Amino acid sequence: MYSGRQEALIKPLLDKFTEQTGVKVNLVTGKGDALISRLQSEGALTPADLIIMADAGRLTRANELGLLQSIESDVVKKRVPEAFAADNYNWIALTKRARPIMYLKGAIDPGEIDSLSDLGDDKYQSEICIRSSSNIYNQSMVASLILLQGEEKTLDWAKDLVENFARTPKGGDRDQIKALVAGECKLAVANTYYLGGMLDSPDEETRQIAQQVGVIWPDQDSTGVHINVSGAGITKYAQNKDNAQSLLRFMLEEQSQQWYAEINHEYPVIDGVKWSDELLSFGEFKAQEVDLEKMGELNGDALKLMDKAGWR
C-alpha cells in the first residue's frame, strides 16, 4: 500500500486487518504527489496494490493518469454512496472531512458570519488566516466554489479574501489555529480533524490552544460547508487485487469507520457510525453537494484562479 496519510493514522487499522485475515500489508508512506509520480514511473513493475490519498484531487489525478482500475466488490459499492466514489469506481472515499471557518472565542461574534463569502467583507481586513494556494485542500475548496457559482464570482471572492489576509499564508492547518490564539488573526479556515486532534492531544498546551477556538458552519441556508474525502483506489497493475478488495471491505466495516471517527476525528463515509466526542462538540452541519470527481478535475483551474487573485 502506498499511503499519502501518516503512518499513525492508518497503521493500527492495517495491523488489525492482518490479525483477522493473516494478510500482511506492507505500508509505504509519503507525500501524495510523490507517491503518484512513483506509481507512474514504476508502471507495471510497481509493488503497490492500493493507494490511499487524503484528497479527492489527488485521487482524481491518479485516475486521470490511468494508474487505477475499477473496484469490483459489490460490498464496497453498496457501502459507499455513489456521491463518494469515482463514476467508474476507480476510487472510493473512506472518510469525509469538513473545512469550515474557525474563530477565536470572544474575539468575534460567530453569528455575524453566514457564508464563506463573508470572509471577503471589508470589515475582516487583516483578520483572515489560511494556508497557501499550493495546499490541495484550498485548491479543492476553490474548485468546489467554481462548480457551485462559476469562475467569475469565485475570482472576485478570492481577490477580496486575499485583501483580508492577516499575513502571508504559511504553515499547515494547525498553524492557522495557533495563529488565532496568538492574536495574529480572528478567523481561519481549517479542516475540523486538525482541531479535533488538538483537543484530544496528550499535550496540555495544545489542548488549551484548541479549547479557545470555535467552529462556524458557513452556507447552512444555501450550498453547505465544503467537504472533501480521504479515499483509496486499486492500482492498475495490482498483483494482489483480491486481498486489496478485502482490505477495502474491512476499512468500510462499522468498527473500522468507528476507529477513523474516534482516532482521526474524521467523519465516517457510511451512515450510522457515531462521531468522536470532539466532532460532536462542533455540531452537525449541511455539507456541499458537489461532484467530487469533477471537483478534483478542476483543481488545476482553481490554482490558476488563485494565482490571478494574488493568493500565494
Side-chain angles (χ1 to χ4, degrees):
M1 174 187 287
Y2 286 177
S3 173
R5 309 206 62 176
Q6 295 177 14
E7 182 172 331
L9 301 181
I10 188 70
K11 184 72 162 55
L13 205 57
L14 302 181
D15 290 343
K16 190 173 288 292
F17 172 73
T18 298
E19 288 176 13
Q20 291 188 12
T21 65
V23 177
K24 182 180 179 182
V25 181
N26 297 305
L27 178 65
V28 176
T29 60
K31 298 291 186 181
D33 291 336
L35 291 174
I36 290 174
S37 296
R38 176 174 173 175
L39 192 61
Q40 187 177 21
S41 64
E42 289 171 340
L45 298 178
T46 184
D49 299 300
L50 270 173
I51 64 165
I52 287 186
M53 294 287 141
D55 187 276
R58 288 194 176 101
L59 289 164
T60 299
R61 182 180 167 220
N63 197 20
E64 289 177 330
L65 289 170
L67 303 177
L68 306 178
Q69 62 173 291
S70 180
I71 298 166
E72 297 174 350
S73 169
D74 291 337
V75 174
V76 169
K77 292 179 180 180
K78 183 177 180 180
R79 289 178 180 167
V80 179
E82 289 184 10
F84 293 98
D87 289 344
N88 55 9
Y89 272 91
N90 275 21
W91 60 260
I92 58 163
L94 295 173
T95 63
K96 295 182 286 187
R97 359 169 86 187
R99 193 165 184 77
I101 300 166
M102 298 185 186
Y103 69 100
L104 177 62
K105 294 176 180 177
I108 200 165
D109 175 11
E112 68 185 39
I113 298 176
D114 295 320
S115 172
L116 196 63
S117 63
D118 291 340
L119 298 187
D121 195 291
D122 289 342
K123 66 181 177 181
Y124 299 121
Q125 190 170 10
S126 300
E127 292 185 352
I128 310 296
C129 282
I130 193 168
R131 291 170 78 156
S132 73
S133 60
S134 64
N135 173 244
I136 198 164
Y137 302 154
N138 284 337
Q139 292 169 18
S140 291
M141 181 179 70
V142 172
S144 72
L145 293 176
I146 293 174
L147 282 173
L148 290 168
Q149 61 187 23
E151 286 196 25
E152 184 177 352
K153 189 172 181 180
T154 303
L155 178 58
D156 289 341
W157 167 79
K159 287 178 177 178
D160 291 340
L161 178 69
V162 170
E163 289 295 319
N164 288 346
F165 283 177
R167 60 181 188 177
T168 301
K170 61 181 180 180
D173 279 14
R174 289 185 185 88
D175 296 301
Q176 315 313 312
I177 294 168
K178 291 176 181 177
L180 283 174
V181 177
E184 295 184 53
C185 47
K186 293 181 181 178
L187 294 165
V189 177
N191 288 352
T192 48
Y193 68 87
Y194 286 107
L195 183 60
M198 292 175 71
L199 287 169
D200 193 32
S201 172
D203 180 68
E204 183 178 355
E205 182 180 358
T206 300
R207 292 197 305 272
Q208 289 178 349
I209 289 173
Q211 288 163 5
Q212 299 177 62
V213 176
V215 173
I216 298 171
W217 297 108
D219 302 297
Q220 294 302 280
D221 294 326
S222 54
T223 56
V225 68
H226 171 65
I227 63 166
N228 209 319
V229 298
S230 73
I234 297 176
T235 62
K236 180 179 180 180
Y237 297 106
Q239 299 176 39
N240 301 284
K241 183 174 181 179
D242 289 344
N243 285 340
Q245 294 194 134
S246 293
L247 178 54
L248 290 179
R249 288 193 293 270
F250 172 80
M251 297 176 84
L252 291 166
E253 290 178 358
E254 186 171 338
Q255 185 177 8
S256 299
Q257 290 280 297
Q258 185 76 59
W259 183 88
Y260 267 124
E262 292 181 354
I263 304 301
N264 292 0
H265 303 291
E266 293 180 317
Y267 297 96
V269 76
I270 63 174
D271 294 331
V273 178
K274 183 183 177 183
W275 298 354
S276 71
D277 290 339
E278 287 74 23
L279 291 180
L280 287 169
S281 73
F282 304 152
E284 296 187 0
F285 58 88
K286 175 185 176 181
Q288 283 178 349
E289 293 184 4
V290 298
D291 186 316
L292 294 175
E293 193 167 20
K294 288 182 180 177
M295 183 184 77
E297 292 169 356
L298 285 175
N299 267 39
D301 294 316
L303 181 56
K304 292 176 184 177
L305 183 149
M306 296 160 85
D307 187 57
K308 287 181 184 178
W311 187 340
R312 301 293 184 254

